[in-house]
Amino acid sequence: MSQSIQDKVREIKRSFHQLMNGITSQSMREKGLNYKLNWGVAYTDLKTMAAEYGKDYSLAIELWKENVRECKILATMIMPPEEMPAEVADLWLEQASNQEIVEMLAFNLFQHLPYVPVMAYEWIASDIELRQIAGYLVLARLFIRGETPDERGVNEIIDQASTALRDNSIAIRHAAYTCLQRLAQVEQTYCNIVNTALRRAGLENFTTF
């Protein structure tokens, strides 16, 4: 790590102290979101910081190494999607310790990776909870942007989500349901397919077009 990157990391970590929110941090701990260090800094403040530093691959890599909530979230914001190798994306997901970080990865970074659709289908087929959640969240974001899966992709989503809707994990069920909801909103054909799957799962249909 260069001296310049080291200085930036130190500067960033010092700034967290000024923005800390003890009440938020305590609330997160009570909800099970444990970090080695959590300043409770607001998402909006982190977005402002990210804009100040701009996209920076090397800085993102070093921030991610820190077991600090704010460092990891900031890393997802400043990593340039076009520069992030697939193996690094998969490693970051593997190292994500809780749902908050997975959500930050999906929303701030993964949805913008050019190769992510392929990985997302692999993730929803995983038996690891956070990977499944990441996959469904990423696909949902792609559908919101109007990206449409091919027939094979639709079948894969329906098969995996139908199982996920019966999972013991509330987080998995919610992520899968959200993904199906976003798919149903793309066009009427998808809505019909999704509603058929929901009926089989004993769930209420989405509103048709």
Side-chain angles (χ1 to χ4, degrees):
M1 178 170 48
S2 69
Q3 186 62 46
S4 174
I5 296 296
Q6 286 181 338
D7 291 342
K8 286 182 180 179
V9 171
R10 281 195 292 267
E11 176 184 279
I12 288 169
K13 291 170 72 174
R14 281 196 298 268
S15 68
F16 293 151
H17 183 74
Q18 299 173 340
L19 298 169
M20 69 177 294
N21 185 322
I23 295 176
T24 300
S25 178
Q26 177 62 32
S27 175
M28 289 181 182
R29 284 194 294 272
E30 291 172 353
K31 294 176 181 176
L33 293 176
N34 295 317
Y35 299 91
K36 181 179 179 180
L37 193 58
N38 177 0
W39 295 101
V41 177
Y43 182 78
T44 51
D45 288 328
L46 292 173
K47 281 189 68 175
T48 299
M49 291 180 64
E52 292 172 355
Y53 285 94
K55 298 296 184 183
D56 189 324
Y57 178 89
S58 298
L59 181 57
I61 290 292
E62 294 306 320
L63 285 172
W64 182 263
K65 292 177 182 178
E66 300 286 335
N67 192 8
V68 178
R69 170 183 174 269
E70 288 74 13
C71 285
K72 290 194 178 296
I73 293 176
L74 197 58
T76 71
M77 294 176 171
I78 68 173
M79 170 62 78
E82 67 279 3
E83 296 181 28
M84 190 181 203
E87 57 269 23
V88 175
D90 201 57
L91 176 63
W92 280 25
L93 179 55
E94 180 182 337
Q95 293 174 340
S97 60
N98 59 58
Q99 189 172 337
E100 182 189 26
I101 296 300
V102 168
E103 291 173 353
M104 293 295 99
L105 283 168
F107 183 78
N108 297 329
L109 180 58
F110 286 173
Q111 67 165 313
H112 303 296
L113 300 175
Y115 50 78
V116 80
V118 174
M119 299 184 76
Y121 286 111
E122 295 174 355
W123 293 339
I124 65 173
S126 171
D127 58 358
I128 300 173
E129 179 177 13
L130 291 180
R131 280 183 174 263
Q132 287 190 54
I133 293 171
Y136 287 120
L137 291 179
V138 167
L139 290 172
R141 295 303 305 177
L142 295 180
F143 300 151
I144 289 173
R145 284 164 34 188
E147 298 189 27
T148 57
D150 57 22
E151 182 178 356
R152 180 179 177 182
V154 171
N155 291 335
E156 180 71 11
I157 293 168
I158 295 299
D159 287 346
Q160 296 296 339
S162 296
T163 299
L165 290 172
R166 297 188 293 270
D167 198 275
N168 291 329
S169 167
I170 294 176
I172 289 179
R173 295 200 304 270
H174 184 267
Y177 189 81
T178 299
C179 180
L180 290 178
Q181 184 180 43
R182 297 308 183 190
L183 176 60
Q185 292 170 346
V186 174
E187 62 177 64
Q188 185 64 56
T189 300
Y190 294 139
C191 187
N192 294 339
I193 295 172
V194 168
N195 282 335
T196 297
L198 290 177
R199 285 195 296 272
R200 289 172 179 168
L203 298 172
E204 183 178 348
N205 287 5
F206 293 124
T207 302
T208 57
F209 279 64

